[in-house]
Amino acid sequence: MDRYIKKHFAVYAVTVAMGMIFAAVNIYIAFLLNQVIDVVMERDFSAFFHMIGKTILYFICITVCHYLYLFFVKLTIKKVLRDLRYDVFKGVLSRSYHDFHSVNTADYISAITNDINILEESYFTPFLYGIQQVCIFSGALIALLSLSLAITFCLILCVLLAMFFPGLYSKVLQKKQRDYSCQLSSFTKVSKDYYNGFEVIKSFGLVPVFLRKFYIENKLLASVKMKKDNAFNFNESISFFFSFFSQLLILLFGAYLILSDHITMGMLVAIIQLSGNFVNPISNIMQAFSKVKSTCPIRDKLTEYAGCFRENHARHDRFVFRDKIILHNVSFCYGDNCNFHLQSINLSIKKGGKYAIIGASGSGKSTLVNLITGRENNYTGEILIDNIPASEIDEITRNELIAVNHQDIFLFEGTVKDNITLFRDYRKEQLDAALIKSGVMKFLPELNEAIDTYVGENGNKLSGGQKQRIALARSFLQEKQILILDEATSAIDMETGFEIENELLHDSGLTLITITHRLSSELLSQYDQIFLLEKGIIIGTGSYEDVMNHKSMSGLSC
Ligand code: ADP
Ligand code: MG
């Protein structure tokens, strides 16, 4: 977190300076009280009226200082949290596909919302507040030493006692803070899941079931928060006790010093005021310290997320695919228990070639595509792109080379155009060509505002087929050299789907890999090679006729 403070050092320095000024003005009230009471005791009216003017001026001054101090605290927090949130988001987006999916997305959301709020409340605010309290404490110490040495030492003794306890308790606070952050993350995960399942919940009459589930989660969150708050409250009460105890002690000790003519009444009032400025900051600093320490696990987590970002200074020349992709003896399975196994895959994808992968659901077609595109890297065997091991080609280059269109489409909140151009600028002719090729042009007149129609959350205002066509237009616009369609036209009507695929098959420069369930002989016979997958093994390969013969012999159905 230090680097964020360093980055905004100027505003941070002004905040500290304001804290010091505010502390000094705060301390001065003790001397003001001393003067007022001594003037009153001497029954000096003209000096008393002079003190009234001075007091009014003092209160104007302390109010302005207080406001400026709070303003700069919030300004520092604003700048630091803004950068931290940005870095966490940047770090998460820099994760590999595999790492990204190893954590639930709700956890990432919780990190840039809940965890950032916790850091504001329990790290940055107490930290900056703590600095100001240190200034008040130091000022009060100097002032007290100038008034009474004996009382100052008595106070220091109380303070040492007050410091002892929070130090012991900080581990407990850390644990409670970590539990709360975990529970917040799990609560975000569950709520997100339930909202996403709205359709299912309603149509299957599950509202009471999910209300009950939510009730339990909500209760758990409230109880974990209560436990955390209780731990902090206990810590606060102990600090309060020591602060109260020491002030009482000073009052009695001070009264004794008046009786023995060592100090005046005005001095006692000033000492009591200063002892508050001395003891309270200590208990505040201890509490702030406990809070700051308790956020350690959250800071570690956010630093890890933010740290995933690697500046990529390498210049990227466009990778020109010239020859072929080769998979040699490639095997892969998901996770440790290896429920599914892609075994000894051997295939070759030539530049400009057209390939279809067919096979029953769950046979490993999408997994095979994930290996080619680098979504999954933990395979054995060799994947070579133009004789370069795929693992040596970085993610950005590979993504620039290959476009993948899946069956399920994600659309951003925005217009049809936003979702096709992906917020970049293209020439009108380029855009129109993509709209025609993908079949989007066909349905644009049906939309209220044509290409500027708002698609709703994840495109919920569009049909499945329209969404798939938007995704195709998106890929065509980027003119990638290799196009993979993973059942990407499954929701599009037969005629349009046929036209799109047919046109792609006639694009001689394009390397096309299609995963399809539509076994149209007219289309499949145009492919150079078809791979038939069964339970993670390629059991047939060749032309459409070869594979169909094999398929009918093995009795497969897609
Ligand atoms: P297809 O595309 O042929 O329908 P997939 O390649 O998607 O099949 O899936 C093949 C098998 O791998 C299935 O049994 C599926 O359950 C499993 N699988 C797919 N993705 C994952 C994953 N991320 N983690 C674990 N298992 C997975
Ligand atoms: Mg699939």
Side-chain angles (χ1 to χ4, degrees), residues 4 12 29 53 66 146 151 243 320 334 412 502-503 507 522:
Y4 295 99
Y12 169 69
I29 196 168
H66 186 236
S146 73
I151 288 187
S243 127
V320 182
Y334 287 106
F412 292 98
N502 198 36
E503 187 170 346
D507 183 343
E522 205 176 336

Side-chain angles (χ1 to χ4, degrees), residues 334-335 340 359-368 376 486-487 515 533:
Y334 287 106
F340 171 78
S361 195
S363 57
K365 304 180 296 294
S366 300
T367 306
L368 182 56
E376 297 291 349
D486 187 351
E487 298 177 34
I515 293 176
L533 261 178

Side-chain angles (χ1 to χ4, degrees), residues 397-544:
T397 309
R398 213 160 344 156
N399 284 340
E400 278 171 3
L401 179 68
I402 308 173
V404 190
N405 274 62
H406 297 281
Q407 184 175 16
D408 296 324
I409 304 301
F410 177 79
L411 296 186
F412 292 98
E413 292 235 22
T415 62
V416 172
K417 187 176 175 188
D418 294 336
N419 276 289
I420 292 174
T421 60
L422 294 178
F423 309 97
R424 292 185 180 125
D425 292 323
Y426 289 93
R427 289 196 319 278
K428 189 175 179 317
E429 313 83 75
Q430 275 179 302
L431 184 60
D432 286 348
L435 293 179
I436 294 167
K437 197 169 163 188
S438 61
V440 169
M441 206 57 122
K442 275 191 180 177
F443 71 82
L444 278 187
E446 297 161 21
L447 304 178
N448 286 345
E449 291 173 67
I451 199 163
D452 293 317
T453 304
Y454 179 70
V455 301
E457 188 181 348
N458 195 15
N460 63 7
K461 296 192 174 161
L462 300 175
S463 74
Q466 288 171 333
K467 282 163 74 173
Q468 285 190 340
R469 278 182 274 178
I470 288 175
L472 286 172
R474 193 189 265 180
S475 295
F476 297 157
L477 199 52
Q478 294 183 17
E479 295 176 350
K480 299 204 181 169
Q481 300 165 70
I482 300 169
L483 177 63
I484 301 180
L485 302 180
D486 187 351
E487 298 177 34
T489 56
S490 58
I492 303 177
D493 63 276
M494 292 286 249
E495 193 189 327
T496 314
F498 182 91
E499 282 168 18
I500 295 169
E501 205 170 323
N502 198 36
E503 187 170 346
L504 293 174
L505 284 165
H506 286 92
D507 183 343
S508 59
L510 178 74
T511 308
L512 179 69
I513 303 173
T514 307
I515 293 176
T516 184
H517 270 153
R518 282 190 188 153
L519 301 183
S520 146
S521 58
E522 205 176 336
L523 283 174
L524 283 175
S525 57
Q526 295 184 56
Y527 281 89
D528 297 316
Q529 201 173 0
I530 295 173
F531 303 106
L532 176 58
L533 261 178
E534 189 192 19
K535 293 182 183 153
I537 303 171
I538 296 183
I539 56 161
T541 170
S543 68
Y544 174 63

Side-chain angles (χ1 to χ4, degrees), residues 135-278:
C135 298
I136 294 187
F137 163 80
S138 321
L141 179 66
I142 296 166
L144 271 170
L145 282 171
S146 73
L147 289 172
S148 164
L149 218 60
I151 288 187
T152 312
F153 281 114
C154 182
L155 273 172
I156 289 175
L157 209 70
C158 294
V159 159
L160 288 178
L161 269 176
M163 282 168 80
F164 181 66
F165 185 76
L168 292 180
Y169 202 53
S170 76
K171 282 260 175 319
V172 178
L173 296 182
Q174 265 188 50
K175 187 185 170 300
K176 299 285 175 199
Q177 192 73 277
R178 185 175 31 230
D179 290 350
Y180 180 50
S181 166
C182 286
Q183 201 53 46
L184 269 176
S185 160
S186 143
F187 184 75
T188 313
K189 203 181 307 179
V190 164
S191 324
K192 182 179 155 239
D193 204 40
Y194 295 172
Y195 284 139
N196 284 345
F198 180 80
E199 187 85 28
V200 181
I201 292 174
K202 290 293 260 189
S203 55
F204 286 83
L206 295 172
V207 172
V209 177
F210 278 81
L211 278 179
R212 203 163 49 246
K213 279 160 114 23
F214 186 83
Y215 175 82
I216 295 168
E217 287 295 331
N218 194 22
K219 201 170 142 189
L220 196 63
L221 178 70
S223 123
V224 172
K225 182 171 185 304
M226 188 66 206
K227 281 184 188 153
K228 181 209 79 157
D229 288 345
N230 255 344
F232 277 92
N233 288 348
F234 183 60
N235 191 40
E236 221 161 283
S237 296
I238 295 291
S239 304
F240 175 76
F241 167 77
F242 281 114
S243 127
F244 194 69
F245 172 75
S246 48
Q247 293 206 26
L248 202 69
L249 202 70
I250 296 312
L251 179 71
L252 296 175
F253 191 33
Y256 168 75
L257 290 178
I258 292 183
L259 287 174
S260 56
D261 281 338
H262 280 94
I263 56 171
T264 65
M265 187 64 176
M267 279 170 85
L268 176 64
V269 174
I271 287 172
I272 291 173
Q273 171 67 29
L274 284 172
S275 68
N277 283 340
F278 182 80

